[in-house]
Amino acid sequence: GKTGDLIIKNAGAFQQGGDGHIVDLQYIVGATGELTGATGAIRASGAFDFANGVGESDYEGTICLP
């Protein structure tokens, strides 16, 4: 595998009541090391139980390496 860090910019929203649905879109805006030049986006969606401090999310997206 390659080493380095992805630098992202994200925007998300969550529902405090009910099932605590969350969604977050993360865009790759930079990278370091062997990941330099990477592009792509990742979407996280799931739910968070605020009363118990636990949650679960699924991640889907594409990371393109040069």
Side-chain angles (χ1 to χ4, degrees), residues 7-33:
I7 302 164
I8 63 165
K9 183 174 184 178
N10 73 313
F14 63 92
Q15 174 188 18
Q16 285 185 311
D19 294 333
H21 295 290
I22 65 164
V23 64
D24 188 61
L25 184 56
Q26 306 166 9
Y27 290 102
I28 298 171
V29 296
T32 65

Side-chain angles (χ1 to χ4, degrees), residues 22 44-48 55-59:
I22 65 164
S45 61
F48 188 80
E56 184 174 315
S57 295
D58 294 314
Y59 294 83

